[in-house]
Amino acid sequence: MKRAILVMFDSLNRHMLPPYGSDEIVAPNFARLAQRTLTLDNFYAGSMPCMPARRELHTGRYNFLHRSWGPLEPWDDSMPEMLKTAGVHTHLASDHQHYWEDGGATYHTRYSTWEFFRGQEGDPWKGRVGPLSDTQDALTGLYRQDVINRNHLQNEKDHPQHRTFDAGIDFVRSNADAAEPWFVQIETFDPHEPFFSYPQYADLYGSAAVTEPFDWPPYAKVTESSDRVAQARDAYKALVSMCDRSLGRVLDMMDELDLWSDTMLLVTTDHGYLLGEHGWWSKTIQPWFNELVHLPGFLWDPRSPRPGERSGDLTQTIDIAPTLLSFFDLDPASDMQGRPLSPAQASEHRDGVLFGGHGGHVNVTDGRYVYMRASASSSNEPLEDFTLMPTHMRSRFSVEELSDIELAAPFGFTKGVRPLKIPATSLINPHTFGSLLFDLESDPGQLNPLDDDGNELRMIDLLVRLMRESEAPASQFERLGVPMVGPASREHLAVRAQRGNAERAAERMPPLADFVAGRLNLGSSLPLLLADPRARQIVRERMPDVTRTELVEATEDVSLYDVAAMLATSIDVLRRLAAELAEIE
């Protein structure tokens, strides 16, 4: 009887794991996993971040060209639901709180059964009204809620990661002798920020065990000291070591119950996390560098055991759904773009894959070169959402957002349904960073962008071909300034023309103290500045993205300096802005 287990982490960095040549992290069970499975060396993300990646996990197709963060759509084919319909019991055990927000509300109900464990990040779990402590009362929003949650997670066995693996392992043990086929998805939010673990893991690393922890970096350029960066990296490593222990529990169970003979095991993540690389923290607000998209992947297929072997085939997260469906002898849905991760597919050469987030760079790699195509203009328009489920991460679309909607023509994958076409904004303006081309063979760290017209033209042709195959809307071709029909030509080159953008975006942020300051300054809160008519005019002229991006609207209690670190505002612009603010009486 066939069974399958998917172990899914969030924000797990491939380049820091032992199977991929790093000794940064104490992770013996990841090393053990690689000895038992096929290690995927050229495995890439597709649609990002969290919920777009999970929509891809269900549907086996890209969604970032058509939609920002959102639920499954009525026309989406869901792999767990297809399995359920075919008689395979599907079970989800997860602590990933985004499933239970507005923008993820249609995913968990596709499974036969599901369990959810509370307390990760700022999950609105435990209610606490009133003061917390002298050092914590200034905290608001997710940060305040996280402090409250941690007070209820004093022991590792109470931690949602531990309880998630408890539940997944219990499902397997309870159904190990069942006559019916089953699939279980054991999915933890870790090692996503905040990097909260326990002393036994922090003790493995130097600076994680400190009086004032730094385990929740901002979504911004790095402005912290090297010691502070090392502290955050160590906190991340400690949490990965905790994840490694949970993975070991799954491997122990596989050994104990002799599941290797008939049970597929797939272990992976949705994307990585920058810990100071390229001068950035986190993800989403900067280009999707290789640390974020080149993923760890491990596969055990009992039909064709390949313990300890490695595969250099170009593979992607869109392949997960077809892999699981084919294992249970089901054909992938006709709309799925992925292909099974099996030896039978090895002869089918894939010459490129797309990846990105809605409204950001549209990226393509052939496994050696990576091309990041930015928007043709600083407006980053036109940009549209195509949906019948108008929700953001934690909110419904506003009345204002819905005031200018229209019905679009059906796409091939919408099964004849006409989606809403809604004008959209983006968390990132890719024009700020320019179009970038890298050769991963000679420059694996993506430190030296190429200016190579021949390779850029070749990669543009690959990009537009894959966009056309994905039925990218016309607005995406227009936004990027690439041809919707026909081959690319020299007029479509962008790297050289946007080189200045890339250089300015790569500049390191000077400390706040380096800027001139008056009554109103870069350290002033954004609401305070926008409340002053003259300051508001200066900010909107110098930093127009402040009033355009969903990210800034969601973090309006931070300083203008912090916002500039998020948006990669040029240092020259910041100096002029600081000087003009200082002149206000």
Side-chain angles (χ1 to χ4, degrees):
M1 184 54 62
K2 291 183 177 179
R3 293 85 64 94
I5 301 171
L6 170 63
V7 177
M8 185 84 175
F9 295 95
D10 193 302
S11 306
L12 180 65
N13 281 338
R14 170 194 187 276
H15 62 283
M16 297 178 75
L17 293 177
Y20 293 99
S22 175
D23 59 1
E24 278 195 85
I25 295 178
V26 179
N29 290 302
F30 276 100
R32 174 183 167 197
L33 174 69
Q35 293 171 354
R36 292 301 308 258
T37 63
L38 174 69
T39 298
L40 304 177
D41 280 333
N42 225 3
F43 188 57
Y44 275 82
S47 303
M48 295 169 285
C50 299
M51 294 323 293
R54 279 146 189 85
R55 187 176 172 201
E56 198 164 274
L57 173 70
H58 281 244
T59 64
R61 68 172 296 113
Y62 305 125
N63 57 74
F64 76 95
L65 294 167
H66 303 84
R67 181 68 166 98
S68 54
W69 182 301
L72 287 170
E73 298 284 349
W75 53 75
D76 281 342
D77 300 296
S78 165
M79 172 268 295
E81 189 167 51
M82 293 173 67
L83 291 175
K84 178 173 65 173
T85 301
V88 179
H89 189 99
T90 57
H91 185 76
L92 172 67
S94 180
D95 61 5
H96 197 287
Q97 74 281 1
H98 294 315
Y99 279 124
W100 284 266
E101 295 168 341
D102 291 318
T106 56
Y107 290 86
H108 64 282
T109 46
R110 308 279 72 77
Y111 297 80
S112 306
T113 48
W114 50 271
E115 297 174 87
F116 174 46
F117 301 95
R118 305 292 303 269
Q120 288 280 19
E121 199 185 33
D123 176 23
W125 178 35
K126 297 294 186 179
R128 172 73 181 273
V129 179
L132 299 177
S133 71
D134 291 341
T135 59
Q136 297 169 341
D137 281 343
L139 297 174
T140 59
L142 295 177
Y143 300 99
R144 173 184 168 88
Q145 185 63 56
D146 183 67
V147 168
I148 295 169
N149 290 347
R150 291 194 197 193
N151 288 330
H152 296 271
L153 304 174
Q154 297 297 315
N155 300 305
E156 184 177 355
K157 289 187 177 181
D158 297 326
H159 193 283
Q161 179 198 140
H162 192 93
R163 297 180 66 200
T164 293
F165 278 83
D166 278 348
I169 290 170
D170 180 69
F171 175 88
V172 174
R173 289 188 179 280
S174 299
N175 296 285
D177 297 325
E180 296 79 16
W182 49 257
F183 161 64
V184 61
Q185 183 172 327
I186 306 173
E187 179 182 344
T188 181
F189 192 61
D190 292 327
H192 191 289
E193 80 281 355
F195 312 134
F196 170 52
S197 64
Y198 296 89
Q200 62 267 38
Y201 303 107
D203 289 346
L204 298 171
Y205 308 96
S207 62
V210 295
T211 305
E212 296 182 7
F214 179 41
D215 58 18
W216 199 340
Y219 279 58
K221 277 190 171 185
V222 174
T223 59
E224 293 78 6
S225 68
S226 58
D227 288 345
R228 201 70 165 151
V229 171
Q231 186 181 336
R233 290 182 68 89
D234 282 352
Y236 176 85
K237 295 174 191 178
L239 185 53
V240 175
S241 290
M242 181 173 160
C243 292
D244 181 79
R245 182 177 182 275
S246 293
L247 173 65
R249 296 171 63 202
V250 174
L251 300 181
D252 290 344
M253 176 192 63
M254 295 279 291
D255 291 339
E256 177 190 344
L257 301 178
D258 190 27
L259 298 179
W260 300 101
S261 61
D262 60 4
T263 304
M264 174 175 277
L265 175 65
L266 181 58
V267 179
T268 189
T269 188
D270 51 359
H271 49 68
Y273 188 94
L274 291 179
L275 292 160
E277 297 90 350
H278 307 281
W280 282 94
W281 293 116
S282 308
K283 59 184 186 293
T284 304
I285 59 172
Q286 65 283 97
W288 290 99
F289 292 110
N290 230 38
E291 292 89 347
L292 298 171
V293 298
H294 196 184
L295 305 183
F298 305 90
L299 174 68
W300 171 258
D301 187 339
R303 301 168 302 176
S304 53
R306 300 177 67 181
E309 295 186 31
R310 307 185 80 96
S311 171
D313 294 340
L314 187 56
T315 52
Q316 198 170 27
T317 46
I318 58 174
D319 298 331
I320 294 174
T323 297
L324 288 162
L325 289 168
S326 67
F327 180 71
F328 289 102
D329 301 315
L330 297 176
D331 293 329
S334 59
D335 296 328
M336 290 183 175
Q337 297 173 290
R339 60 184 63 164
L341 296 166
S342 68
Q345 303 294 323
S347 61
E348 296 185 22
H349 176 69
R350 175 184 268 154
D351 60 358
V353 294
L354 296 175
F355 59 89
H358 187 254
H361 289 84
V362 177
N363 311 274
V364 64
T365 182
D366 60 5
R368 174 176 174 177
Y369 291 92
V370 172
Y371 183 55
M372 302 173 167
R373 182 71 183 205
S375 54
S377 74
S378 60
S379 69
N380 196 29
E381 293 175 345
L383 182 64
E384 299 158 331
D385 269 314
F386 295 88
T387 181
L388 285 179
M389 304 290 290
T391 60
H392 297 301
M393 180 193 298
R394 298 186 181 93
S395 66
R396 298 164 293 175
F397 274 42
S398 67
V399 172
E400 290 75 19
E401 287 176 293
L402 297 173
S403 64
D404 192 25
I405 63 174
E406 57 183 275
L407 282 176
F411 294 95
F413 57 84
T414 62
K415 301 176 174 59
V417 175
R418 298 177 66 188
L420 297 174
K421 182 169 71 173
I422 306 173
T425 58
S426 173
L427 297 180
I428 177 176
N429 187 338
H431 192 265
T432 301
F433 301 90
S435 295
L436 301 165
L437 176 67
F438 295 99
D439 180 355
L440 298 178
E441 186 175 287
S442 62
D443 182 24
Q446 294 176 298
L447 302 177
N448 302 295
L450 296 176
D451 190 351
D452 180 338
D453 289 355
N455 264 316
E456 185 181 0
L457 279 172
R458 182 179 64 84
M459 295 302 285
I460 294 174
D461 276 332
L462 179 59
L463 176 82
V464 297
R465 194 197 84 210
L466 294 175
M467 288 176 64
R468 293 165 190 169
E469 291 175 359
S470 303
E471 294 187 69
S475 55
Q476 287 283 11
F477 292 91
E478 182 180 351
R479 180 178 74 95
L480 300 177
V482 295
M484 190 168 180
V485 296
S489 62
R490 296 188 65 83
E491 68 180 284
H492 299 113
L493 295 172
V495 166
R496 185 178 291 114
Q498 297 178 348
R499 172 67 70 199
N501 297 30
E503 292 173 350
R504 286 187 292 273
E507 291 175 330
R508 183 173 178 83
M509 283 278 288
L512 178 60
D514 285 5
F515 294 92
V516 63
R519 178 181 66 84
L520 296 176
N521 54 70
L522 297 185
S524 301
S525 71
L526 191 57
L528 178 64
L529 291 172
L530 296 182
D532 183 286
R534 189 173 171 193
R536 182 172 63 249
Q537 180 181 355
I538 292 171
V539 170
R540 287 180 172 173
E541 286 178 356
R542 297 295 184 191
M543 293 177 61
D545 284 344
V546 163
T547 58
R548 281 209 298 258
T549 66
E550 182 182 334
L551 177 65
V552 176
E553 291 170 2
T555 56
E556 61 177 10
D557 58 334
V558 301
S559 72
L560 187 60
Y561 178 80
D562 293 330
V563 173
M566 297 176 194
L567 299 178
T569 305
S570 92
I571 308 307
D572 286 343
V573 167
L574 281 181
R575 294 198 186 282
R576 288 196 296 271
L577 200 157
E580 291 171 5
L581 289 176
E583 293 177 357
I584 300 176
E585 295 295 333

